[in-house]
């Protein structure tokens, strides 16, 4: 399966490189786009859950790296929940 990384900027401007075991992230996120924090978390959840399911269909077990990345995104997003209008920007995809 082709792996990829999606490069993001959190509401405080800090960059992060996120992992996906599948290119399915391209169906959910767009480079150059900004998403509300809630939108970004929901889209990441959908993309990474789908990616993990694809790994499970192919190899018989879910992708722990994708699920770990999702847990990391969910945990970090909580840090920004209290600031007004938090947005996450998708800077680029790396394949």
């Amino acid at each position: 399966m082709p792996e990829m990384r999606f490069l993001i900027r959190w509401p405080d401007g800090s960059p992060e490189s996120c992992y996906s075991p599948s290119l399915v992230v391209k169906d959910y996120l767009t480079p150059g786009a900004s998403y509300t924090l809630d939108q970004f978390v929901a889209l990441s959840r959908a993309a990474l859950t789908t990616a993990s399911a694809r790994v499970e269909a192919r190899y018989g077990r879910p992708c722990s790296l994708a699920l770990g990345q999702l847990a990391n995104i969910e945990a970090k997003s909580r840090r920004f929940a209290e600031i007004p209008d938090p947005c996450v920007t998708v800077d680029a995809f790396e394949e």
Side-chain angles (χ1 to χ4, degrees):
M1 292 190 104
E3 298 177 336
M4 70 173 293
R5 291 196 142 322
F6 51 108
L7 308 178
I8 65 166
R9 268 181 294 123
W10 288 103
D12 66 354
S14 61
E16 183 164 345
S17 176
C18 300
Y19 171 81
S20 173
S22 167
L23 301 179
V24 72
V25 170
K26 292 180 174 185
D27 294 340
Y28 293 88
L29 300 171
T30 302
S34 289
Y35 301 91
T36 67
L37 184 63
D38 290 341
Q39 251 183 332
F40 175 74
V41 172
L43 291 169
S44 295
R45 184 179 299 116
L48 293 169
T49 300
T50 300
S52 180
R54 287 183 178 185
V55 170
E56 185 171 18
R58 185 162 186 176
Y59 298 107
R61 60 185 182 357
C63 180
S64 60
L65 291 174
L67 298 176
Q69 180 64 71
L70 175 57
N72 184 55
I73 287 170
E74 291 173 335
K76 282 193 176 180
S77 71
R78 288 190 280 278
R79 294 188 326 198
F80 303 108
E82 298 303 316
I83 55 176
D85 303 319
C87 289
V88 177
T89 301
V90 177
D91 287 329
F93 293 147
E94 291 182 345
E95 294 179 43

